[in-house]
Amino acid sequence: MNTPGIKFGLVALGLAALISPISAAAQVACEPYTVKAGDTLATISETAYGSRDYQIIFNANRNVIAGNPNNLTPGTVLNLPCADGRLTAASQFNEVVEREEEKAAKIKARNVYEPPIRLLADNDWAPYTDEGLSGGGFLMRLSTTALHRAGNKREYNQGWVNDFNSHLYTLLPAGAYDIAVAWVVPDCAKKPRCHG
């Protein structure tokens, strides 16, 4: 006997059978998740949190995925934190707060503004200075090596301006650069050839 109710029941059972493996494999926040072929952090996040923003998963699993969000291999077990930031459902909020406060206490406040040291040189003065040379040329390398060996902790950058007059009369006086490499003020009265 073939009745519409039985057909409907069979179709419903068939759909339930198809849907149940999917729901069983669904990612749930606050639980570990085993990566399957084709998974990405974005797809895992979308299923677990309803958003493709996977930062919470990435932060909790940096060591497991070697700091690379594209480094997912099937079988890798990821910790899916709770949406509120707890690593597990059993974690208490005060544990999360204490952990963050400990991290904050390790950060040393600095009130000193330390911009990079700006080195200025000219091109076409090989082997002394030229940005096409290794390290910027002999004198630029000498300057940067001296910064390192003297215990300087500040960053530095190199600038190249091919106009000697602008070095002495514009850029250095205006504070655009801190040091002009290989410069002395020439005494043009005693030299037949002066730059600029």
Side-chain angles (χ1 to χ4, degrees):
M1 185 182 228
N2 203 356
T3 64
I6 293 175
K7 283 184 184 177
F8 178 77
L10 290 174
V11 170
L13 282 174
L15 285 173
L18 286 173
I19 293 171
S20 64
I22 294 170
S23 62
Q27 300 91 330
V28 178
C30 294
E31 293 183 8
Y33 174 74
T34 303
V35 174
K36 294 172 183 47
D39 279 343
T40 66
L41 288 182
T43 59
I44 295 168
S45 177
E46 187 171 31
T47 306
Y49 305 104
S51 165
R52 293 182 69 84
D53 180 4
Y54 58 81
Q55 194 65 48
I56 191 170
I57 299 172
F58 179 71
N59 289 343
N61 295 280
R62 282 181 192 268
N63 294 338
V64 176
I65 58 178
N68 183 349
N70 298 317
N71 190 23
L72 285 185
T73 54
T76 302
V77 178
L78 299 176
N79 181 19
L80 299 186
C82 303
D84 58 22
R86 293 177 295 151
L87 293 179
T88 66
S91 299
Q92 298 298 317
F93 287 107
N94 60 346
E95 292 173 5
V96 175
V97 171
E98 286 173 12
R99 185 174 61 247
E100 293 305 316
E101 285 177 348
E102 285 174 12
K103 285 183 198 174
K106 292 178 184 175
I107 298 171
K108 294 181 180 175
R110 295 179 51 181
N111 294 324
V112 179
Y113 174 62
E114 295 180 346
I117 296 170
R118 296 159 300 187
L119 304 171
L120 175 62
D122 194 332
N123 284 303
D124 301 324
W125 198 33
Y128 304 106
T129 63
D130 191 290
E131 63 186 315
L133 297 172
S134 174
F138 169 73
L139 290 174
M140 187 63 87
R141 289 185 73 171
L142 182 66
S143 301
T144 56
T145 300
L147 287 171
H148 289 292
R149 291 193 178 171
N152 173 60
K153 301 272 190 248
R154 288 171 61 184
E155 298 279 327
Y156 64 85
N157 54 43
Q158 300 171 338
W160 304 90
V161 178
N162 297 334
D163 178 359
F164 288 113
N165 278 332
S166 71
H167 291 204
L168 293 175
Y169 303 113
T170 305
L171 298 172
L172 290 171
Y177 288 90
D178 300 306
I179 301 167
V181 176
W183 254 115
V184 294
V185 177
D187 183 354
C188 291
K190 293 182 181 177
K191 298 195 184 242
R193 211 176 132 216
C194 281
H195 293 290

